Amino acid sequence: MSTRTGICNFCGTGCGHLLKVDNGVARGVFASPDHPVSQGRLCVRGWHIHELLSTRDRILAPMVRRNGRLEPVSYDEAIAAAADGLSRWSGDEIAFLASPRSSNEDNYCLARLARTVFRTPNIGLASDQGHGDAADVLLEGAGFPAMLGALTEIRKAKLILVVGGDIAKLNPIVGSEIHRAARRGAELVTLSGRLTQIAKLSGRHLWFKPGTLRHSLAALAKVLVERGWHDASFLRDRAEGFDDFARYLAGLDLAALAAASGLEPAAIEDLARSLAQAPTAMAFFTSGIAGLDRPSVALLFDLFLAAGKIGREGCGVNPVAGICNIVGSYDVGASPRFLAGCRRAEGPAAGRTPRELLAADPTPLKAMMVVDRDEEIVRHAAKLKALECLVYVGAYGNPFVEFAHVVIPSATCAEADGTYTNTERRIQLSRKKIEPPPGVRPAWRICADVAARRGASWPGASAEDVMREIAAAVPAYGAVTYAGLEKGFGLQWPVDAGHPAGTVRFDAAAAPRRLRFVPAGADLGVAAVSKDFPFLLMAGKANYFWHRNNVMKKTQIPKREYNALLLLYPRGFVELAASDAKALGVRDRAPVNVIAEGGSMRVAVRISGDVKPGTAFVPYFIEDMVPGFLNAAGAAIDEDQESAIPVRIEKV
Amino acid sequence: MYIMPKSQARALAAALAEDYDLHGPVLREESGEPMFDRVEDPAAIRLEAAIPYNPPKSVVFPQAERIMSYRYDREAKTVSLERDDLVRPKALVGLRACDLNGLLCLDRFYLGQEYVDEFYRDHRKKMFIVVNNCVRPFPQCFCVCTDSGPAAREGYDVALTGDGDDYLFEAGSEKGQALARRLGLKEAGPGAAGRKAKIIDASIARFDAEATENKAWISRVMNRITTGFISNDIWEFIGDQCFECGACSFVCPTCSCFNIEDINSREGRTDRMRSWDSCSYEGYTRMAGEHNPRRPVEDRRNKRFFCKLSYSQSRKYLRPGCVGCGRCNRVCPGDIGIANVVTYIRREITKAGAK
């Protein structure tokens, strides 16, 4: 048995762990007490990563589909088939689907393959809408497209505002750090449409009506500014656009905002006052598969900017990534919106995500290369099946394999060197700990071999060489070296000539330009109930039930926890308040039809104290629900997990 | 009792390495973290290291272990079984007294009842244990409250107690005596037992000032937990803080619960895996027929602390189920390591008493 330091590969927290390897098999994991973020903590997923890493559901041989069947071929044949198959298509006929769980090196090479070899800007992560919106707002507002504060500074915040999804379930160790700060005396406030665990741990919970996060944030900002509680001297020295923001707020009707959100005006005023008076304050919200939408992030940013809680110690607006390397994937350009270095892609360089292309009717797509995906397949199975060329690269058994024309196995995160950038911009090096199966290569190497087949010669011979190229291409990674990362527990970008030891948080005083208020844009909108659709339905995730669970299903204990719920509610459930269930005449686990304007689904009732009467909640991890309901009715939910759709619920 | 110069510790480990797989506290090369691990080189064992982050239970009860595999031949309709040979004589060198008590708890669970667990037994038999009594506490320790340290009373082959440049070397078994002879150790003389008692008393005296992370007053709380006079508010307060990660069970030297799963492979072989489990998980107590007696998280937390601290459970272990190592407090994402839970309950007792 050997114990090697590593980085957890599940969520964006980037906890440190010690992987135990016995005869080339991961047989255990232990928390790393010295890691600056996790400090000896792991969540249920992190404590079982060895189960995933030792799964026997691996792709072991390169395969090519011939006469409808996948047949094992040599690695070189598979590379040739992939390169030649993809090369027949161009423009919107081809797209690349990257994984937010891949290393920076893997994604940098995939983005380079897409943009320089196959000459398409259509590369995306598919599950990145929320994080993309957050990066976009923070780039516009602060010139800094990721978490402005730092996880290691949570303990310095006197007020912590958690917005939306349950951070205690989605990023448990971030939730833990917030809870610890609260136990030490920080004021913890949750703003959400549902009673979450973090709300239960909060001193104050502002429980708004589903779909009115924007209204709640706008109301807070309006009170803060109109009472004169904003930080005028900070804004004078560091910000621009405040007058426009104040004018925007002046045009809003506070009584109408309060009525829409269902919040008590006094509670809004109290929180606005606390935020203004707190010496330091941080906001957290989960981003990723479905984070907050752009107007919500903009309002949150503007609220904290007006309160002077940006760019100082213990302050900041902080998106928390749901998957381990979403931030890094953006940094290295695995996105249609951004080139490597988070430069906005414009004109012909701006592409569309594979998801957007698949959603179009008819889809222009003819060919796709997919790396290590574990979700998004059910929605568009028919269109994927109809593709002329689908190349799948991945380590684990995956539903994409059923549709693929070429399959190339890749190494797991424990089988290759690579860096992963966590949600606080911490670039962490994870060393190879396990020998991959014979002939299996890391994904970046596979990309390079496909490129070579198309006549492009990439000189890099190791992951470290690829990082040298990233450092040259991405300014925020300019001074990153493997040797530098290995000295401690990684470095937080920007890591450049001016910040060789990295940057713990965004510093307004040192920023090259002023902070800017970001217009929230369009009218705030509100999902309204009607006689026909009297319930407001929310959708969300919980801790075992994310990423369509292709990954979780390869574990044992997390899978069991997933199944414990699925066995009770095999086709999913809708949470209802006890009084609503009584009025409908249904008991727990009774089937109901949930009907929205665009579609309906049959699920079981789960009576819960976590939703208010008149509202309902579905966890959207259950595949069967997706084609029948969320495809039709779930566009709003795709955009923003705090949105809501009016539905009718009928006893079956 | 014998005297062993500290410089001879390496020779002790080397002598054991001839007959046993060596396990002991090591400082990890990359970061200097103290871990309890298998070592090839006897010199890697660091008796002076702080209490390891991980409990030594993985030596007898690994986190994930294949206990059997079988292959089903569809054509012939036959099953062939294969069992891994788990019998490797092991020497645990430098165990702390709390962790030795944890091992004894596991013995009583796995070996001391009507059913003997053969996998555990195979790991446990032919074991040589060298305990290293604590001459000073570490910050998280509270073994004085759980009657499990700082010195071990039973269950060892050799007990070492640091005394300046020497160790006082006590043999607890024939094997221990033989090792003393083999190492050519000097008799310590008639005053040694008194000297050891003084060293241990001095260690106990330092808990107040040095073991400051956790203060647990176990005995006050055992009564409450046993009789069930703890208000539901307290359990809810505790349950709300549970992140359901399972870490408390995994780092606990006495937690013995496991899960069994048969894992199929495409080539037809099935591995039967046994792995650590935790009562903090909802699926842990789910029964056939979908009934779950402990579905709400506070009921599951209640179960854990009942298991560690109630009188009825203590009869099973012949001691409290907590050995005072303080690890659960360090790894808990909530604030409900056992020492904190004891504090919450004591606070309630005090309040009730004031009424």
Side-chain angles (χ1 to χ4, degrees):
Chain A
M1 187 85 79
S2 73
T3 308
R4 296 282 309 273
T5 304
I7 303 300
C8 186
N9 194 244
F10 287 132
C11 81
T13 312
C15 295
H17 69 200
L18 302 165
L19 196 68
K20 295 192 235 170
V21 180
D22 191 13
N23 286 324
V25 182
R27 281 289 182 233
V29 66
F30 209 83
S32 165
D34 298 331
H35 191 273
V37 174
S38 53
Q39 297 171 61
R41 291 163 292 178
L42 290 173
C43 71
V44 58
R45 301 181 294 243
W47 273 108
H48 295 96
I49 196 166
H50 60 287
E51 296 181 349
L52 172 67
L53 294 173
S54 62
T55 181
R56 295 165 83 183
D57 188 6
R58 288 287 300 272
I59 303 172
L60 296 172
M63 292 177 283
V64 169
R65 193 172 295 277
R66 287 175 183 146
N67 304 319
R69 288 187 51 193
L70 282 174
E71 293 174 8
V73 295
S74 73
Y75 176 75
D76 290 342
E77 281 175 88
I79 291 290
D84 300 350
L86 294 171
S87 69
R88 289 165 33 225
W89 313 99
S90 60
D92 278 355
E93 292 168 338
I94 182 168
F96 287 73
L97 187 50
S99 166
R101 202 178 282 112
S102 294
S103 68
N104 290 321
E105 290 75 2
D106 290 347
N107 273 335
Y108 176 77
C109 288
L110 187 69
R112 188 175 174 190
L113 186 68
R115 290 183 192 273
T116 70
V117 176
F118 293 101
R119 305 210 167 272
T120 177
N122 298 329
I123 173 163
L125 302 158
S127 57
D128 59 345
Q129 183 69 32
H131 189 78
D133 287 335
D136 211 36
V137 168
L138 297 174
L139 186 61
E140 186 174 334
F144 198 84
M147 182 180 282
L148 301 179
L151 299 178
T152 48
E153 277 199 2
I154 292 176
R155 58 196 55 195
K156 293 177 179 163
K158 296 291 180 208
L159 186 145
I160 299 171
L161 178 66
V162 176
V163 178
D166 196 349
I167 207 162
K169 295 284 187 223
L170 292 164
N171 296 73
I173 303 310
V174 178
S176 166
E177 198 61 18
I178 291 171
H179 174 55
R180 276 193 184 174
R183 296 278 295 156
R184 288 198 193 94
E187 187 165 9
L188 175 55
V189 185
T190 293
L191 190 59
S192 71
R194 189 168 170 267
L195 181 60
T196 54
Q197 184 179 13
I198 201 74
K200 288 178 191 168
L201 294 172
S202 297
R204 275 189 259 180
H205 178 205
L206 275 64
W207 192 344
F208 56 74
K209 283 186 194 164
T212 64
L213 173 59
R214 296 174 194 179
H215 306 74
S216 308
L217 290 167
L220 284 166
K222 186 174 169 74
V223 171
L224 184 113
V225 169
E226 291 184 356
R227 293 293 160 90
W229 294 338
H230 54 281
D231 190 339
S233 69
F234 176 81
L235 294 174
R236 193 171 51 241
D237 295 345
R238 304 264 177 251
E240 60 191 48
F242 176 66
D243 293 343
D244 287 340
F245 183 58
R247 253 193 305 282
Y248 165 76
L249 293 174
L252 299 174
D253 177 355
L254 186 59
L257 293 175
S261 65
L263 297 177
E264 292 292 329
I268 295 171
E269 182 165 334
D270 284 349
L271 179 54
R273 188 189 297 109
S274 301
L275 180 61
Q277 289 176 349
T280 52
M282 280 183 166
F284 287 90
F285 59 97
T286 57
S287 75
I289 291 174
L292 306 185
D293 61 7
R294 200 180 186 287
S296 301
V297 183
L299 283 165
L300 182 62
F301 176 82
D302 292 343
L303 171 67
F304 269 63
L305 179 54
K309 301 298 190 290
I310 284 185
R312 298 194 286 112
E313 186 177 69
C315 292
V317 170
N318 303 315
V320 180
I323 312 181
C324 67
N325 201 31
I326 289 185
V327 172
S329 303
Y330 267 81
D331 298 339
V332 299
S335 152
R337 306 194 209 185
F338 297 104
L339 305 174
C342 285
R343 287 168 295 139
R344 273 214 181 75
E346 272 154 28
R352 293 203 279 166
T353 61
R355 179 197 253 180
E356 285 166 340
L357 292 165
L358 280 171
D361 256 330
T363 176
L365 273 184
K366 300 289 184 194
M368 257 175 95
M369 179 164 167
V370 178
V371 177
D372 190 32
R373 289 305 304 178
D374 43 37
E375 57 175 302
E376 289 307 320
I377 187 160
V378 269
R379 291 190 187 206
H380 302 299
K383 288 175 181 170
L384 287 168
K385 204 167 186 173
L387 290 177
E388 300 279 340
C389 176
L390 176 60
V391 177
Y392 185 75
V393 175
Y396 302 113
N398 187 293
F400 270 103
V401 171
E402 287 168 36
F403 303 106
H405 301 94
V406 183
V407 175
I408 305 174
S410 63
T412 69
C413 63
E415 293 169 351
D417 290 345
T419 60
Y420 301 83
T421 306
N422 83 348
T423 195
E424 62 163 3
R425 301 165 277 103
R426 186 180 294 274
I427 308 161
Q428 306 195 85
L429 174 59
S430 175
R431 283 293 191 187
K432 174 172 159 179
K433 301 169 199 55
I434 296 174
E435 204 54 44
V440 172
R441 294 156 173 82
W444 65 264
R445 176 85 255 166
I446 294 166
C447 292
D449 290 340
V450 170
R453 170 80 187 182
R454 297 306 306 157
S457 166
W458 297 356
S462 68
E464 190 168 4
D465 290 339
V466 178
M467 179 47 81
R468 285 192 194 100
E469 288 179 44
I470 295 174
V474 179
Y477 287 54
V480 171
T481 61
Y482 271 23
L485 296 179
E486 214 155 27
K487 269 186 212 142
F489 291 92
L491 296 170
Q492 287 166 274
W493 65 245
V495 186
D496 52 26
H499 314 85
T503 309
V504 173
R505 69 176 153 76
F506 169 71
D507 184 353
R513 68 160 174 84
R514 284 172 160 260
L515 292 157
R516 282 179 203 140
F517 282 85
V518 181
D523 95 88
L524 299 172
V526 61
V529 297
S530 62
K531 211 165 107 267
D532 288 341
F533 300 105
F535 282 91
L536 280 176
L537 181 79
M538 302 166 272
K541 296 161 277 174
N543 49 348
Y544 315 114
F545 315 120
W546 46 314
H547 309 185
R548 213 57 83 211
N549 291 297
N550 189 45
V551 165
M552 283 298 134
K553 281 176 181 168
K554 291 174 177 43
T555 64
Q556 286 114 53
I557 295 279
K559 178 186 66 185
R560 181 192 68 192
E561 297 302 302
Y562 172 76
N563 285 345
L565 206 60
L566 269 193
L567 287 170
L568 283 176
Y569 307 97
R571 279 184 45 85
F573 59 81
V574 57
E575 286 188 356
L576 288 179
S579 57
D580 284 337
K582 198 172 171 197
L584 286 166
V586 290
R587 290 192 295 185
D588 195 64
R589 287 199 271 154
V592 289
N593 282 326
V594 177
I595 302 157
E597 202 144 19
S600 73
M601 63 178 167
R602 179 181 291 198
V603 288
V605 169
R606 187 186 200 211
I607 294 174
S608 166
D610 299 345
V611 292
K612 280 192 170 170
T615 72
F617 172 81
V618 290
Y620 77 124
F621 59 87
I622 291 163
E623 293 185 1
D624 295 348
M625 290 165 44
V626 175
F629 181 75
L630 291 181
N631 262 2
I637 284 167
D638 274 351
E639 299 302 312
D640 175 10
Q641 64 182 8
E642 287 306 318
S643 64
I645 36 183
V647 296
R648 175 167 77 241
I649 297 174
E650 288 175 354
K651 184 179 176 179
V652 175
Chain B
M1 204 167 318
Y2 303 89
I3 292 200
M4 183 179 85
K6 283 190 172 165
S7 57
Q8 220 176 333
R10 186 184 295 195
L12 176 146
L16 290 170
E18 290 177 18
D19 303 318
Y20 301 90
D21 280 358
L22 271 189
H23 297 258
V26 296
L27 297 175
R28 279 171 30 75
E29 237 173 75
E30 290 162 315
S31 50
E33 296 145 320
M35 296 290 286
F36 198 89
D37 214 341
R38 166 96 172 87
V39 295
E40 297 294 335
D41 175 12
I45 289 185
R46 307 294 286 271
L47 290 176
E48 76 287 358
I51 178 169
Y53 289 155
N54 56 331
K57 75 173 172 189
S58 51
V59 175
V60 285
F61 173 33
Q63 193 166 4
E65 179 178 38
R66 188 175 70 188
I67 53 175
M68 186 181 83
S69 50
Y70 60 90
R71 191 183 287 274
Y72 178 60
D73 185 332
R74 238 169 240 287
E75 305 267 293
K77 293 204 166 98
T78 54
V79 179
S80 53
L81 292 178
E82 207 179 285
R83 237 201 82 177
D84 290 337
D85 183 13
L86 306 174
V87 187
R88 303 272 303 170
K90 302 170 182 72
L92 276 43
V93 178
L95 215 55
R96 298 287 174 180
C98 52
D99 285 339
L100 175 58
N101 275 292
L103 197 59
L104 299 179
C105 282
L106 292 178
D107 285 352
R108 282 161 198 146
F109 176 77
Y110 279 113
L111 306 174
Q113 308 195 36
E114 58 270 35
Y115 180 77
V116 169
D117 184 286
E118 59 190 289
F119 307 106
Y120 181 90
R121 183 198 59 205
D122 285 357
H123 284 301
R124 182 71 170 90
K125 71 185 179 191
K126 295 186 191 163
M127 188 173 271
F128 194 106
I129 293 177
V130 179
V131 73
N132 183 17
N133 291 329
C134 297
V135 297
R136 55 176 300 176
F138 302 103
Q140 79 258 36
C141 298
F142 56 97
C143 58
V144 288
C145 301
T146 54
D147 190 30
S148 46
R153 282 200 294 262
E154 55 173 341
Y156 53 81
D157 296 293
V158 170
L160 301 175
T161 306
D163 181 15
D165 292 337
D166 297 322
Y167 284 112
L168 297 172
F169 179 116
E170 274 171 285
S173 69
E174 285 294 323
K175 284 189 288 181
Q177 290 286 5
L179 182 65
R181 283 195 297 273
R182 188 166 158 198
L183 294 170
L185 300 182
K186 250 186 3 217
E187 287 278 355
R195 205 155 74 241
K196 179 192 161 192
K198 249 193 204 153
I199 292 168
I200 298 303
D201 283 348
S203 175
I204 292 170
R206 295 172 79 157
F207 270 70
D208 233 8
E210 293 177 28
T212 49
E213 272 181 28
N214 302 308
K215 299 286 181 194
W217 200 344
I218 298 284
S219 57
R220 284 294 307 271
V221 169
M222 284 188 79
N223 168 295
R224 273 291 155 135
I225 288 208
T226 305
T227 50
F229 285 126
I230 293 168
S231 78
N232 217 43
D233 293 353
I234 293 287
W235 290 124
E236 273 177 31
F237 172 73
I238 290 165
D240 282 347
Q241 293 188 68
C242 180
F243 284 68
E244 299 172 63
C245 66
C248 50
S249 306
F250 302 152
V251 303
C252 182
T254 75
C255 269
S256 54
C257 288
F258 58 83
N259 183 47
I260 299 263
E261 183 159 329
D262 283 5
I263 297 168
N264 302 314
S265 67
R266 291 196 177 130
E267 63 271 25
R269 199 183 76 190
T270 298
D271 284 343
R272 176 158 295 176
M273 298 296 296
R274 154 144 106 182
S275 58
W276 291 353
D277 206 342
S278 171
C279 54
S280 62
Y281 301 142
E282 185 177 343
Y284 170 84
T285 43
R286 190 180 56 81
M287 298 178 179
E290 299 167 358
H291 178 60
N292 193 339
R294 295 190 185 274
R295 193 168 145 197
V297 61
E298 59 268 22
D299 287 1
R300 285 177 256 146
R301 301 298 64 204
N302 169 328
K303 162 81 182 86
R304 172 174 172 78
F305 299 108
F306 189 83
C307 188
K308 296 296 161 202
L309 297 175
S310 75
Y311 173 67
S312 42
Q313 288 288 314
S314 301
R315 287 205 319 185
K316 184 170 88 183
Y317 298 128
L318 308 180
R319 54 158 293 107
C322 172
V323 295
C325 70
R327 290 187 180 99
C328 55
N329 252 43
R330 285 203 160 175
V331 299
C332 181
D335 226 358
I336 52 170
I338 203 158
N340 287 357
V341 166
V342 164
T343 304
Y344 301 147
I345 295 174
R346 277 182 54 212
R347 207 178 284 158
E348 195 205 17
I349 299 173
T350 317
K351 256 191 280 171
K355 267 179 202 164

